[in-house]
Every structure is written in structure tokens, then in C-alpha cells.
Amino acid sequence: MENVPFDLTKPKYFELIKKMLDGIQIPALLLNRNHIILFQNKAAFDVFHSKVGGFCFAELWQGQTLKEEDQKLFRKGHITPDMHCYFCELDRVLDKEHVVKELYIADRYWQSHWVGLDKDIYLHYFVDITDLKENENKIKEQESFIREITDVVPDLIWLKDTNKRYLFVNKAICEKLLLAKDTSEPLGKTDLYFANRIRAKRPDDPNYHTFGELCTNSDEVVLSTKKAGRFDEYGNVAGKYLHLDVIKAPFKDKDGNIIGVLGVGRDVTQQKIIEEKLKEAQIKLEQAFKYHKAIFDNNPAAIFVVDQDRIIRDVNKSFCRIFGYEKEEIIGKSAFVLHTSAESFVAFKKYVSKILKNQNEAINIEYKFKKKDNTLIWVEMTGSFVDLADNQEAIIYSVIDTTPLHKAKEELHFQAFHDPLTKLPNRSYLEIELEKAMGRANRYDTKLAVCMIDLDDFKPINDKFGHNKGDIVLQTIALRLKNTIRKTDFVARLGGDEFVLLLESIKDSKHLEKILKAIEKAVKTPIEIVPNVFVDVGLSMGVYLYDKTKNISQERIIKKADIAMYKAKQEKNTRALYWFVSED
């Protein structure tokens, strides 16, 4: 009775609770301590088709949640007073305020909640988490492809859900941070699980493992701010010092809902150690010549010194190896030779000025340079102030070649936003571009035509010649559409034989008709699928014309274009044109 401000044994209060439950959209029931349903709202009846007065295990689960021996009795029609669901939390609810479990019923995933209302009555309600679970399943389906890429890079890569449980990890994080036996062990577990396991090996040594909480705290920052962030995370892992440069970002589903945190961590332990040693070397560079040789000349990272006039004063062996210069030919040259353009050289000056102005602060940036042979290279570089022997101010840079990782990131980005068969933008890319196109139409007061295309007579080609030849048709159509539309327009493939066009700055109906006829010609031109074998396809199109006077969402625009396309498809044998324009 302490949990509610009124006495449920009184009918008026019990009726009030029932009215409140009837007003919510999630399944909710009231049960007594004997597992009998006292009340159910409409949402519960729609899901379970249960009846008031029956046992919850019989009405909700048809006896499937009983213990094995009780199930046998239930199938024979026997129900005893001590029967209850094997996952039932009634006893816990009587002691605790709220208990939650997950289960799969009625073809959906649910969070099952138990709340004690008084000593005899408790509330049992369900929250639909199907979308979250399906997103988790999709992530697992993509793991094989992602695994091939992420396991070859040295950086730590992972994905967690909103409860900070791992959904995906690569080999690097297992080996360097979690000390897991393989990439499957961390799934469903948190950083704190592994931190406590490692600490248990040396319970008397508080410095043996200091990682764990730090990772969790930065997850909380990303989830609360809903923004990507960069974090400096360092500490001991099983007695060894580890320093990570971490980037974390919200991970979203197709509807833009945050469903987890994606993280990439670079092991900069050696780089951080080198930076600290370089700062010490700056105090007395000449007196520390031997130390300079050990750190500077033999460092695996490319190191070079540039004075205040941006003239290269010194380089190490790794610099020569990475950039392709001999030491003698690069010293004395302007740092301009490393930049990809005059604009790049000018833009980089802001970092030079910052270091020279704030001499006690280092900078860490990613930048694109060129080697002696003019090939481009992406680097992660750290710059720090240093005094030269001739009393000139200078900057010492430490550089790591990150070109392979950068290319891998670009490939991942392309795969995420493009159709693998036709290389056209996919639905995710379309959503981004449609929002931009609508913004331009609003800003410049122009019309935007959103065109949904479905190919006619495509299925018979697949049936007759096979899907490989059908793929040739789709690739050919994709290329023709791309080459036919203007540079300011956009084409995407939604899947199957469906494409979407965004045609901007449409002047009038004649202007639109001219473009659509060119598209018709491009699609209907016969396609050679094997030497001397040609096939023909047609097309049905739905068009929606958008301008700033219309208050409509992206989803509704696509829906209206799809409806118009379907109408054109239905009337393809009697229509005058292959396209229909949606009516507002």
C-alpha cells in the first residue's frame, strides 16, 4: 500500500486504475497473487486474445511458459493452484517496486514489466522493443562484411547498444583492452565486466587495471549530447599502460533513432610517450643530443622540424622512407613541397600560428600531404614548439601514415550509402539529398520533381535469361539514367527494379516533359545482354512536384510518387504517357 496513494481494495479506486490502463496504447493487465487476470486493457486483448478471470499462464502463453511437468498436466486439461510461469516475477515484485525482463511472444519482442500495487494486486505491462531487436539482428547480419575490414586494421573498433553492451568488436580491442579470447566473447557484456575480471587477478593492486569506468563515462557523454566526440582515454590494462585517442559517435537506425554508440580508438601509447620525451628534449636540445638520436633518428614515426619561416630544418629516417626524399635534398626546402596545393599550404598556416603562439600546447590533426612522386598520403600528426640551437623558434612534427585506414573509412562510407550492384546512391543517401533538394527549392522558390520509376517487363528477363543477365540490365539502366539527367539532378536505386530521380529547378510542364522523354528514350533503348542478344524494358513513373508552398514530409513525398507510379503501372496498356503526376 506504500507505493500508491489510495486503497485498491475499494472499488472506486480499482475502477480508476482500470480507466487509466484503458487509456494507454501498450498491453497492460492487473493480476492477483494467484496469477488470475483481474483486468486487461484493449491493447492486451488485441495481442493475447485473453479473458479476464483466467490464469495468466493459460490466457497469455497457452501453457508454454509452465515448467515441463506442469505443461504435461496443462495439455491434459489439468490446472493446479501452484502452477505459474517459469519467468514469473510475482515473488520479487512483492519485495521490490519494479522488475523487468525481455521475451518474444505474439511474433514480437517485448519488455515485460512487473509492478507491485499492493500485497494482493500487481500490474503487468509490455513495451514493444521489436524495432530495437531487429536493428540488433541487422547489425549481426552485417558483421561478416564488417569483420573482414575491421579485423585487418590496428585501430580498436566497436559498437555498443544504449545499455553499453557490446554488439560488435574487432580483434584489436579484444587483444589490447578487453583481453577477450575472441570477438564473440564480449557480445552482450560491458566494459565493467572485463575490467572487474582483470582486476580479480590482482585484487591487492589498485593500479593493476584502471581502465573500464573511463570508457563508460564517455559513452554517457555521447548518448546524453547525441553528438560525436573525441576522448583521451588512458590507464593500465593488466599492468601495462595504454593510451587511446578515441572517437565515439551516436549510432542510428534508418529512422534516425539512436540505438547505440560506435567507437574507434587508436593506440597512441608510443606516440604519447614520445611526445613527453620530446617536450623534455626541447628544454636543452643540444645537451640531449644522444637522447635526440635515439628518439628522433630511430623513431618509426616520421619526424621533421620546420622553423618559423616554414623551412624544413631536419628530418629523420622514417620521414625519408615515408615521403620518398633523401635527407640532403629536403633540408632547406620550404614545407610547401609537402602540400597538395597552394591553398593547402595557406590553410595549414593557422596550425603553425597556433603552436608558435601557445608554446606549451601541442596540436594533433589529420592532414593530407603529397610524397616526392606526387602520390597523396593521409597522416596523423602532432606538432609541438621547440627552440633551435640558433635561437630560432621552430615546430617539431611527429607523423604516422594513416592512408590505409583512411581508405578503409572511405570504403565503409561508400558501402553505407551506395547500392552494391549499380553503385548508385541508396535509400539512406536519397533521404539526405532529398532534404537538401527541398531546402534549395524553398530557398530559391523553385519546383522539385520527385520521380519514382519501376521497370516494365523486367521480370520476364530474369525468368528467361537468369538473374545475372537481369543484373546487367539494371546496371545498364542505372548508367543511362546517370548519364541522361543533368549534373544538378540526382538518381538513386531503392532496390529491385525501382529507382528515384530528384529533378531540381523545373521551370514548367514542358521543361519537365522534355526531361522525362529523354529518360524514356534512355530506358527503352534495347540492351545487349550477350553478343547479338538484345532485350527491351519499359518503365512506369510516378511524379510529385514539390515547392515551398507545400508543407509535406519526405516520407509523404515518396509515398505520393509511389502511388502515382503504381497508377501508371496499372494503366500501362491504355495510358498516353508512361508517367502520372501525383495529385495533391
Side-chain angles (χ1 to χ4, degrees):
M1 296 292 289
E2 296 178 355
N3 294 329
V4 292
F6 38 72
D7 186 356
L8 288 176
T9 60
K10 296 181 179 181
K12 67 175 182 179
Y13 291 127
F14 190 79
E15 289 300 317
L16 177 61
I17 289 292
K18 289 165 59 176
K19 289 181 179 178
M20 291 170 60
L21 296 181
D22 257 335
I24 63 177
Q25 302 301 312
I26 61 174
L29 307 97
L30 294 176
L31 299 96
N32 65 16
R33 64 186 302 124
N34 296 320
H35 307 274
I36 294 175
I37 299 173
L38 304 177
F39 171 77
Q40 62 180 346
N41 66 1
K42 184 178 184 301
F45 177 80
D46 290 343
V47 173
F48 304 112
H49 303 291
S50 47
K51 64 182 180 181
V52 174
F55 290 94
C56 62
F57 55 80
E59 296 299 324
L60 304 183
W61 329 123
Q62 289 75 51
Q64 296 179 10
T65 58
L66 293 172
K67 296 179 180 178
E68 186 174 351
E69 57 271 21
D70 289 339
Q71 283 192 36
K72 295 178 180 177
L73 292 173
F74 183 84
R75 285 194 290 269
K76 295 179 180 179
H78 301 303
I79 297 179
T80 62
D82 59 345
M83 284 184 176
H84 62 82
C85 305
Y86 62 78
F87 65 88
C88 187
E89 295 294 341
L90 175 57
D91 294 333
R92 289 180 62 192
V93 170
L94 295 177
D95 296 325
K96 297 184 178 181
E97 185 178 359
H98 191 177
V99 179
V100 182
K101 279 189 175 182
E102 292 183 5
L103 68 159
Y104 181 82
I105 52 170
D107 299 322
R108 307 288 289 177
Y109 291 95
W110 304 86
Q111 270 188 346
S112 180
H113 295 251
W114 286 267
V115 180
L117 299 181
D118 66 10
K119 64 181 181 180
D120 293 313
I121 299 175
Y122 65 100
L123 170 66
H124 194 184
Y125 67 93
F126 302 83
V127 178
D128 189 344
I129 58 171
T130 303
D131 290 343
L132 175 62
K133 286 296 183 179
E134 288 179 351
N135 283 326
E136 292 178 1
N137 293 336
K138 289 178 182 178
I139 291 171
K140 292 176 182 178
E141 290 173 1
Q142 297 169 359
E143 182 175 342
S144 176
F145 167 74
I146 298 173
R147 174 74 55 207
E148 294 180 8
I149 297 176
T150 57
D151 277 352
V152 299
V153 298
D155 287 353
L156 289 63
I157 302 174
W158 64 90
L159 177 64
K160 300 177 185 176
D161 64 16
T162 53
N163 293 316
K164 302 163 193 170
R165 300 172 301 188
Y166 283 108
L167 299 176
F168 174 84
V169 295
N170 72 341
K171 288 182 179 179
I173 190 173
C174 291
E175 296 169 354
K176 293 183 179 181
L177 180 59
L178 303 180
L179 305 188
K181 61 183 179 181
D182 55 43
T183 55
S184 63
E185 185 185 9
L187 304 185
K189 301 181 180 70
T190 65
D191 289 300
L192 295 181
Y193 170 87
F194 292 95
N196 291 332
R197 187 171 74 174
I198 297 171
R199 288 177 186 139
K201 296 179 180 179
R202 298 277 185 87
D204 298 327
D205 185 357
N207 294 321
Y208 181 67
H209 189 86
T210 55
F211 250 98
E213 289 81 357
L214 199 63
C215 306
T216 304
N217 291 342
S218 56
D219 288 342
E220 198 63 52
V221 171
V222 173
L223 291 172
S224 62
T225 63
K226 300 180 180 179
K227 295 180 179 178
R230 193 166 189 168
F231 305 91
D232 210 26
E233 299 183 354
Y234 52 88
N236 292 329
V237 177
K240 294 182 179 180
Y241 180 70
L242 178 66
H243 199 125
L244 297 179
D245 180 11
V246 176
I247 297 175
K248 293 185 177 181
F251 188 75
K252 301 178 180 180
D253 61 17
K254 64 181 181 180
D255 298 318
N257 301 312
I258 296 177
I259 59 173
V261 177
L262 179 65
V264 178
R266 175 165 296 164
D267 183 354
V268 293
T269 306
Q270 293 303 315
Q271 185 175 329
K272 291 294 181 180
I273 293 173
I274 292 169
E275 289 171 11
E276 291 301 316
K277 291 180 179 180
L278 284 175
K279 288 178 183 178
E280 296 173 8
Q282 292 169 15
I283 300 174
K284 293 181 179 179
L285 187 60
E286 289 183 353
Q287 292 82 351
F289 181 73
K290 292 183 180 179
Y291 181 78
H292 164 78
K293 283 291 183 183
I295 299 298
F296 187 84
D297 284 345
N298 301 321
N299 199 292
I303 300 176
F304 61 105
V305 179
V306 178
D307 66 22
Q308 59 191 14
D309 297 319
R310 303 180 75 179
I311 302 299
I312 299 173
R313 300 289 294 270
D314 200 3
V315 299
N316 71 347
K317 295 176 183 177
S318 294
F319 176 92
C320 295
R321 172 178 53 81
I322 292 174
F323 285 90
Y325 287 97
E326 295 294 334
K327 188 171 184 177
E328 294 74 17
E329 67 177 321
I330 194 65
I331 291 178
K333 294 277 185 71
S334 169
F336 179 84
V337 300
L338 303 178
H339 285 267
T340 58
S341 64
E343 291 78 11
S344 171
F345 182 69
V346 172
F348 195 83
K349 187 176 181 179
K350 64 183 178 182
Y351 300 115
V352 175
S353 300
K354 183 177 181 180
I355 295 173
L356 294 177
K357 183 178 180 180
N358 304 294
Q359 298 181 0
N360 295 324
E361 296 182 12
I363 65 163
N364 188 279
I365 59 172
E366 189 175 30
Y367 212 78
K368 181 168 65 174
F369 289 116
K370 68 177 179 180
K371 303 194 319 188
K372 181 182 178 180
D373 61 3
N374 289 324
T375 59
L376 302 182
I377 178 175
W378 281 93
V379 301
E380 181 84 16
M381 66 187 304
T382 299
S384 303
F385 176 84
V386 64
D387 279 318
L388 298 180
D390 56 5
N391 294 322
Q392 282 204 51
E393 294 182 337
I395 301 171
I396 185 167
Y397 294 104
S398 172
V399 172
I400 297 175
D401 183 359
T402 60
T403 305
L405 177 60
H406 195 84
K407 289 181 178 179
K409 288 179 179 178
E410 288 181 339
E411 178 63 23
L412 279 173
H413 185 272
F414 185 87
Q415 293 289 347
F417 290 98
H418 289 80
D419 168 45
L421 176 64
T422 64
K423 309 306 179 187
L424 288 180
N426 60 14
R427 183 182 292 273
S428 297
Y429 202 158
L430 171 64
E431 292 173 357
I432 296 171
E433 287 303 313
L434 179 53
E435 182 177 359
K436 292 179 180 178
M438 291 169 68
R440 288 189 289 269
N442 294 338
R443 189 161 53 251
Y444 301 116
D445 194 15
T446 57
K447 286 188 178 295
L448 165 68
V450 180
C451 309
M452 179 78 70
I453 293 176
D454 185 89
L455 299 182
D456 294 336
D457 304 318
F458 175 71
K459 185 177 182 301
I461 296 174
N462 272 340
D463 295 341
K464 183 176 180 180
F465 298 102
H467 287 276
N468 289 340
K469 299 303 181 290
D471 288 347
I472 293 174
V473 173
L474 292 174
Q475 290 168 332
T476 303
I477 295 297
L479 182 60
R480 289 180 180 178
L481 289 174
K482 186 175 180 181
N483 292 337
T484 301
I485 61 175
R486 302 163 298 173
K487 291 183 178 180
T488 56
D489 296 329
F490 179 84
V491 57
R493 182 191 178 207
L494 294 189
D497 58 346
E498 287 189 342
F499 300 85
V500 172
L501 298 174
L502 304 182
L503 308 178
E504 298 192 48
S505 301
I506 298 300
K507 299 175 183 177
D508 50 37
S509 58
K510 290 183 178 180
H511 182 208
L512 177 61
E513 184 174 344
K514 181 179 178 182
I515 298 173
L516 297 186
K517 285 184 176 180
I519 292 169
E520 180 180 28
K521 180 179 179 182
V523 173
K524 287 188 174 182
T525 300
I527 299 170
E528 187 175 19
I529 57 174
V530 294
N532 299 320
V533 177
F534 292 84
V535 295
D536 298 298
V537 292
L539 72 163
S540 296
M541 178 187 289
V543 180
Y544 181 79
L545 289 174
Y546 169 82
D547 59 44
K548 69 178 184 181
T549 64
K550 299 172 182 176
N551 182 18
I552 186 171
S553 67
Q554 286 190 32
E555 183 180 358
R556 289 293 300 160
I557 289 175
I558 296 297
K559 183 66 175 177
K560 284 180 174 290
D562 188 53
I563 292 172
M565 181 272 289
Y566 183 72
K567 184 177 180 182
K569 193 84 171 175
Q570 284 184 316
E571 301 180 15
K572 70 177 182 178
N573 295 325
T574 58
R575 68 195 182 195
L577 299 171
Y578 75 90
W579 69 85
F580 275 19
V581 178
S582 173
E583 298 179 357
D584 286 316

